[in-house]
Amino acid sequence: MNISDMRRVILGAPIPTTEAAHQRLSKAKALAVFSSDALSSTAYATEAILLVLIAAGTGSLGVSMWIALGIAALLLIVAFSYYQTIHAYPNGGGAYIVSKDNLGKMPGLVAASSLLIDYILTVAVSVSAGVAALTSAFHGLDPLRIEIALVIVIFITVMNLRGVKESGTFFAIPTYAFVVGIMTMIVIGVAKVIMGDVTPVQPPDAETLAEATTASGGLTLFLVLRAYAGGCTALTGVEAISNGIPAFRSPESRNAGQTLLIMVALLTTMFLGITFLANQYDVVAVEGSEQTVVAQIAEAVLGENIAFYYLQLATLLILSLAANTAFADFPRLASLIARDRYLPRQLTNLGDRLVFSNGIISLAVLASALIVIFGAEEHNLLPLYAVGVFLSFTLSQTGMVVHWLKERHEEGFTPDWEWRFHIGLNAFGAFCTFIVLIILAVTKFVEGAWIVTVLIPMLVFLFIRIHKHYDKVAASLTLDGLQPGHIRELFPDQGHVPVVVLANSLNRCSLQAIEYAVRFSDNVRVCAIEVEPDAVIRLKQKWQEWHLNVPLDVVPSPYRAIGAPLIEYLHKRDIENPQGDPTTVVLPEFVVSTWWEKLLHNQTSTAIRDALYRDQIARGRGRPVINVPYRIGDELYEPIAVEPLKKGVTGKLRPPTTD
Amino acid sequence: MNISDMRRVILGAPIPTTEAAHQRLSKAKALAVFSSDALSSTAYATEAILLVLIAAGTGSLGVSMWIALGIAALLLIVAFSYYQTIHAYPNGGGAYIVSKDNLGKMPGLVAASSLLIDYILTVAVSVSAGVAALTSAFHGLDPLRIEIALVIVIFITVMNLRGVKESGTFFAIPTYAFVVGIMTMIVIGVAKVIMGDVTPVQPPDAETLAEATTASGGLTLFLVLRAYAGGCTALTGVEAISNGIPAFRSPESRNAGQTLLIMVALLTTMFLGITFLANQYDVVAVEGSEQTVVAQIAEAVLGENIAFYYLQLATLLILSLAANTAFADFPRLASLIARDRYLPRQLTNLGDRLVFSNGIISLAVLASALIVIFGAEEHNLLPLYAVGVFLSFTLSQTGMVVHWLKERHEEGFTPDWEWRFHIGLNAFGAFCTFIVLIILAVTKFVEGAWIVTVLIPMLVFLFIRIHKHYDKVAASLTLDGLQPGHIRELFPDQGHVPVVVLANSLNRCSLQAIEYAVRFSDNVRVCAIEVEPDAVIRLKQKWQEWHLNVPLDVVPSPYRAIGAPLIEYLHKRDIENPQGDPTTVVLPEFVVSTWWEKLLHNQTSTAIRDALYRDQIARGRGRPVINVPYRIGDELYEPIAVEPLKKGVTGKLRPPTTD
């Protein structure tokens, strides 16, 4: 089985470009692909609030419901903003596009870099969290956590390389399993609350509680803000759909918008439901606790039975597969940035399964690097997380404010209050997300958020350098300033290109190259670099014998180098050429079939290539190089110019010339 | 400072080929270069004998003097044999040449592989031993032993890359310091013995002695044989001079022979002297002792003063620089083997300092690998050592027996007894070294000698595979069966070579390539692979605009691959060619100056190259490829065929054609 067969087994048969429209996602699948990140955050958002509030004692935990309502309000504002964006930018309008279009290049690039960094973090964090859930069940696997995390990343990568539709089908299962599980728990839990059938969960022992209650001043505004910021992780992933509009079936904007609404409805219900039940069942979260808040609620509501374990498993799966949302969005966003020439063009290539393979692989490599560096410990990575998302939220909402200001006359908002409403909503959203961003950056700065504040400008700098390079290339390549002309009429006489064939011995390989050269030019010379004097003596003898009618130049190389004498010789030839054209170099070359045979050859040609490359850089002018490969094998190449003694191939034979 | 300047600082200015004769070594320097391995073995050979004999109790240690005399006799036999070889093979006659010439290909290759392996082991063992001496003085350095060993290897490598003469000068100091130190100690020691002024060294405590005395049966023949085999490490390195004859000044054989005699005289005196003093001073060697035998003698003879520490330092230096002998011989031997095409030809290249740089670097890499694998612990490596040397001794002496048998009539040995004496000596030497080989292999097999018995055949297999490959290449390249002919007369009409230029867009780079192609052929087509339909539409529009008179073929690629559709297209073109010649491919190419810019380009051309390579392997026929590089930079390339609107370069302008 060769590589191409293996590729087909792993990735599936190639999909033709014309199939692109059929590879789009239905709303049900798109919901699974683009919302696993957002929905999975309900597994830990409530806990993030409670963990902060406990510092002011158990009595303050009731505030969590108000904080959750505040977060839900913010979520609705952000979601509504993106709903508007989806319709305003039907070709995919994430924070990058919106910021770039409305705020300018730099804000766009900042949004782009914070989103890219956050997607990489999403993969690293969510896979690490999945592994943590697994190893807390099977302690024996703990030494293998990095390996397991990398296997999961490879698995998700392969699924995504197989194609959007296929991975959508596959990853839909855990997402819906999680939604059904949480919803069932909420329904039963709320029913029990209504019926007054509530058994509060066992509180932690007094010592643990006393230890957790650290804020001597009781519930301060700062504590509430920190709790709010912590709970805002519920918002991560909300932007995913706006980046992925082109993956939806037509009409893309409408389908994407509806999917966004469904996602937000689910997310809000689940988040508020969990927080409500946590309050009703007196759930307390402390650092280092063995059971998560959701697990405590589930145990209290469902009891420790099959339903409880089902929910635990579904949580584990969605946590590690939240990474899939990043795999759906990162390559798309990277391709948009690359299309604008701020990232390598290869990121815009559609692979043979119609996905941005290079983007998928880049994401996998970068996330794997993070996993290895941070030892697959998600709590090391969490402080880096969320800052990027809220930066992009703020930029995107601010962008929408400018958008409405610009478009207010064109779009035909009949009532004046309509655009005022749009602007007000987005401005309020921008303000709120900006506040959260500041809180996040301040509270998490020392723990690792500073890394992100360093990485974002670095990435922006990289974008700009790449863009400058492509600009330079474009300026070098432009046909501006030239007029079309008939090439053929200007070169009536082909066949006088100055050519030098490099050869240190005369054999079938070099003979083939010489024959090739004389077939297209009457200005051919052969050049031998005199590294070993003996070899040159042998070559000269053979040259006499074969009287090939092609001049042989021997270039001395007292220090046995190849590059420098060759370049010097070529420069001498160049001067002799009409119009100073660079002399063409012909390299006879061996073709062998195995890697170890390659090791035995062509070291010289590497040195020649290096020297030619450096000369081109220095002179600012390219020099054409012709490789004439000679296949080493059982079949002999039959020279055309000379008669073989044995039977040759018909049609190639010419009468020999006698001297 | 660029790479070439750095190279010059580290390695020195290049030495011209004509200087080769002046780079030869004087006898004094050659003795240092080629004998440091052999002479350094006196630092541990006596100890190796005593360590075995102690098993039969301290009463049996006196036998060591007889064993040493037996080893000295063997040494003289081997040395005399090599003295003969040096004169019989004045161009360098190590075990490889002698075995190959007289016993045949396979024994030659076996000798070669055992010597190569032994040289690698010499470097690893001697550097590790040097580091062990250092870390036993400075315990704090122990965690860094591998790093220190690698630094020493790099240092010796750089010195050897600087040239034979220069490293000879440098490494002479420790060698002569060691010889002077040991000789002084022997002279003083023997003088004290004669004057009856001997203070025996402190024996180990009774418990240690009782533990070391393990042989219940007393002194058995097997024990004596093991002691003999252990002491035979004194012989390692004796063959070095015979491999290095070409490094001597003219007359090479005479100078090499004299150097060999001096070395053997020194070696015998030092070895016997140390063993004699060890007996006289009642030195006992036990495993794990803190002081070596030589150190014990030195302390007893010289007292613990500056002379004692001088000798310790000299021993440390010569032990770690014994590696230098291997660096002098390995590259030479490898180049001889490579000249016979059993190793890659690159090993025959003389670097710019007139040394076999590739061989030196290969030795450094392999020895470093051994050091890392065995943790720079020389006692792990010792069992692997010496087997190879004695195998090559045996083969070389047997080869000399055959040599004398063949040459007895030709060489004109007037008295009949002369060649009988030669044969007798070599046959006896072969027998003795064979016995030692068997003892070494048997006593050390389990501890690691088995590795060598596996490695030698593996290396021989590799030699043969490489040779077969070069044979295949030679058979492919041979001009046998062909008659010389005038190439030029057979191709009167240049300029009809079938050419395809690959281009997916029309810009200065592709235009330059097209212009180049039409200058040497009137049979040019341009081919675009339709990966992105939009790009092809733009290309077709431009083609219309520019009416270049060159046909444009668009090749559909439904699966967005480049290789397969291109190869299919080329095969179609090939069939249309007269005589079925392969169509030449022209690749327009960007030249950029930094590595990161390279990452941004030419991925497509890698895919094309891969596809062409695989096609050549499959069809058994090479296809010429022309790279037309275009330098991306500030200066614009001025097309020849079309008039620039701005001022162009004089001489390149042609009148534009109007359509």
Side-chain angles (χ1 to χ4, degrees), chain B residues 16-67:
Chain B
T17 315
T18 48
E19 273 290 297
H22 300 116
Q23 290 293 315
R24 301 292 185 87
L25 294 171
S26 66
K27 273 183 280 185
K29 278 183 192 165
L31 181 67
V33 169
F34 290 111
S35 73
S36 60
D37 182 15
L39 295 180
S40 72
S41 60
T42 58
Y44 49 79
T46 303
E47 188 162 336
I49 299 173
L50 295 177
L51 271 174
V52 175
L53 290 180
I54 191 66
T58 46
S60 64
L61 295 181
V63 180
S64 62
M65 196 61 213
W66 296 106
I67 292 175

Side-chain angles (χ1 to χ4, degrees), chain A residues 469 476 481 516 584 592 613 630, chain B residues 476 516 584 592 601 613 630 645:
Chain A
H469 170 75
S476 281
Y516 179 75
T584 296
V592 289
Y613 169 73
Y630 181 81
Chain B
S476 282
Y516 179 77
T584 296
V592 288
H601 297 290
Y613 170 74
Y630 181 82
L645 290 179

Side-chain angles (χ1 to χ4, degrees), chain B residues 221-478:
Chain B
L221 177 65
F222 183 70
L223 215 56
V224 172
L225 285 179
R226 270 187 60 206
Y228 189 87
C232 277
T233 49
L235 271 75
T236 58
V238 168
E239 81 294 349
I241 290 175
S242 66
N243 282 320
I245 305 172
F248 284 81
R249 290 207 184 127
S250 181
E252 290 86 355
S253 287
R254 209 171 133 249
N255 285 329
Q258 288 174 356
T259 309
L260 176 66
L261 293 183
I262 297 167
M263 178 180 88
V264 169
L266 284 173
L267 181 54
T268 315
T269 313
M270 288 160 70
F271 175 54
L272 289 180
I274 289 171
T275 312
F276 174 73
L277 291 179
N279 274 300
Q280 293 296 325
Y281 284 80
D282 294 352
V283 172
V284 175
V286 290
E287 288 286 350
S289 156
E290 285 196 356
Q291 275 206 312
T292 63
V293 166
V294 173
Q296 289 185 56
I297 299 173
E299 199 174 345
V301 170
L302 308 170
E304 202 169 332
N305 53 27
I306 183 116
F308 170 76
Y309 286 105
Y310 162 85
L311 193 62
Q312 291 302 98
L313 181 69
T315 308
L316 188 160
L317 284 178
I318 200 170
L319 273 177
S320 50
L321 298 182
N324 196 47
T325 301
F327 272 94
D329 268 356
F330 180 98
R332 259 169 237 287
L333 177 59
S335 83
L336 289 177
I337 302 170
R339 209 185 52 194
D340 292 341
R341 296 187 287 150
Y342 289 106
L343 275 177
R345 293 300 289 269
Q346 296 98 281
L347 292 167
T348 64
N349 296 352
L350 279 172
D352 60 10
R353 296 282 294 180
L354 275 175
V355 290
F356 297 108
S357 321
N358 291 327
I360 292 173
I361 292 165
S362 306
L363 175 60
V365 169
L366 292 168
S368 300
L370 267 189
I371 286 172
V372 171
I373 292 170
F374 286 88
E377 305 275 3
E378 94 275 19
H379 54 83
N380 292 340
L381 286 160
L382 275 174
L384 283 70
Y385 198 43
V387 173
V389 171
F390 276 85
L391 182 50
S392 71
F393 282 162
T394 309
L395 286 168
S396 139
Q397 307 237 26
T398 313
M400 286 308 287
V401 171
V402 175
H403 175 78
W404 299 128
L405 280 175
K406 282 199 289 193
E407 310 253 312
R408 63 183 146 161
H409 303 301
E410 294 165 30
E411 298 253 323
F413 294 104
T414 2
D416 195 41
W417 61 264
E418 194 176 326
W419 73 262
R420 279 183 204 276
F421 171 75
H422 283 310
I423 285 187
L425 195 71
N426 281 127
F428 183 65
F431 177 74
C432 293
T433 50
F434 180 68
I435 294 295
V436 175
L437 170 66
I438 297 297
I439 297 171
L440 281 170
V442 169
T443 55
K444 294 180 172 181
F445 190 81
V446 185
E447 293 153 69
W450 66 269
I451 300 176
V452 178
T453 62
V454 173
L455 278 182
I456 290 175
M458 274 172 63
L459 202 50
V460 170
F461 176 75
L462 182 70
F463 289 158
I464 291 170
R465 282 303 303 270
I466 290 174
H467 194 75
K468 270 199 184 146
H469 170 75
Y470 281 124
D471 273 353
K472 190 174 80 177
V473 171
S476 282
L477 292 178
T478 181

